Amino acid sequence: MKLVRYGERGAEKPGLLHVDGTIRDLSRVVRDIDGKALSDEGLSKLFWTDAGKLPIIPEGVRLGAPVAGVGKLIAIGLNYADHAEEAGLTVPPEPVVFMKATSAICGPDDDVEAPRGSEKLDWEVELAFVIGTRAKYVTLEDAMDHVAGYMICNDVSERSFQIERSGQWVKGKSHDTFAPLGPWLVTKDEIKDPQALDLWLNVNGVRRQTGTTATMVYGVAFLVHYLSQFMTLEPGDIITTGTPPGVGMGSRPPKFLHAGDVIELGITGLGSQRQVVVQA
């Protein structure tokens, strides 16, 4: 099942992508695609809904981020060995964990803002997953029981803010529009192995990133287990899992984004995104 949220920013409604390619309205079934809807009980209700009888939404409607009311947007750094190598860093002995502000969340095709004073705006195609049931001190064996589904995240980063301005990475990761999500949330029954997905990203039509989740250092199950030892993961929380090589900072010479650039990215089975960079 592919769940979406559609409509103007701040007024999105719940929907799903039907097998015929149309978007169907879920407003009479659930209030929104949030933690409650993504619980086992909520998803069961959606699975038993006759999608063919739901109203069809006109083509061309804007898609928002597929999950509403996100409590935590947690990110994992240096989670691909080849990306760590291009960054000149060693693979960490434990996951590198940081937060992105939830105000950075936007739709998959919304414009990406270059912040004022930005010098090193960068791209990162990533697999993100969403928590469906509360996770606290979860064992590795039970970890996947807490995952509701998967989607694409572009972990947009301002490298000079992130690395050269002291303090934590969050400063370079949290500007408005720095977390395009979607186009849809794919429930985990449709993704048999999250560690066997291809990722790609183009800038202005030129391939910049090509990778596979098979080379992730810490996989989805381990991350649920690991993070739940430090914080309770609540339904609707999102974890984005790191990026393969090919980011602008790692290019020789480095390449960064500017107003007018077009970013396109995708992951097997999860759709694709397209953003235009604009000046904030």
Side-chain angles (χ1 to χ4, degrees), residues 134-162:
R134 190 171 186 266
K136 183 175 183 178
Y137 296 121
V138 171
T139 65
L140 183 58
E141 293 72 22
D142 294 336
M144 295 304 292
D145 294 340
H146 297 268
V147 175
Y150 305 93
M151 60 186 165
I152 302 167
C153 175
N154 186 359
D155 177 19
V156 182
S157 309
E158 211 306 324
R159 302 299 190 187
S160 60
F161 294 0
Q162 175 189 355

Side-chain angles (χ1 to χ4, degrees), residues 106-254:
C106 65
D109 300 326
D110 290 345
D111 291 342
V112 163
E113 291 185 358
R116 296 177 184 178
S118 172
E119 299 176 351
K120 299 178 180 179
L121 188 63
D122 210 344
W123 57 84
E124 295 188 29
V125 58
E126 302 195 1
L127 171 69
F129 64 90
V130 186
I131 297 298
T133 59
R134 190 171 186 266
K136 183 175 183 178
Y137 296 121
V138 171
T139 65
L140 183 58
E141 293 72 22
D142 294 336
M144 295 304 292
D145 294 340
H146 297 268
V147 175
Y150 305 93
M151 60 186 165
I152 302 167
C153 175
N154 186 359
D155 177 19
V156 182
S157 309
E158 211 306 324
R159 302 299 190 187
S160 60
F161 294 0
Q162 175 189 355
I163 299 170
E164 301 167 15
R165 297 286 297 271
S166 301
Q168 299 180 346
W169 285 7
V170 64
K171 291 191 294 188
K173 297 283 190 171
S174 294
H175 190 271
D176 295 350
T177 73
F178 271 24
L181 299 175
W184 40 73
L185 170 65
V186 181
T187 51
K188 66 180 177 182
D189 58 291
E190 292 197 13
I191 303 297
K192 300 305 180 184
D193 184 0
Q195 308 309 145
L197 304 176
D198 295 329
L199 308 87
W200 60 271
L201 182 144
N202 295 339
V203 177
N204 298 328
V206 177
R207 179 59 52 91
R208 295 300 183 190
Q209 289 187 276
T210 302
T212 171
T213 57
T215 62
M216 284 170 57
V217 179
Y218 302 106
V220 171
F222 182 84
L223 291 173
V224 175
H225 158 69
Y226 181 83
L227 291 169
S228 75
Q229 312 305 307
F230 301 98
M231 65 191 85
T232 300
L233 303 176
E234 299 286 357
D237 285 350
I238 296 172
I239 295 92
T240 188
T241 61
T243 196
V247 299
M249 180 177 64
S251 302
R252 299 293 182 267

Side-chain angles (χ1 to χ4, degrees), residues 31-72:
R31 182 184 64 83
D32 211 335
I33 307 300
D34 54 13
K36 183 177 180 181
L38 296 174
S39 67
D40 290 343
E41 181 180 355
L43 286 177
S44 178
K45 181 180 180 180
L46 293 175
F47 277 121
W48 285 103
T49 299
D50 187 350
K53 294 182 179 180
L54 297 173
I56 297 176
I57 303 306
E59 293 184 11
V61 67
R62 171 190 174 270
L63 294 181
V67 181
V70 178
K72 293 189 286 294

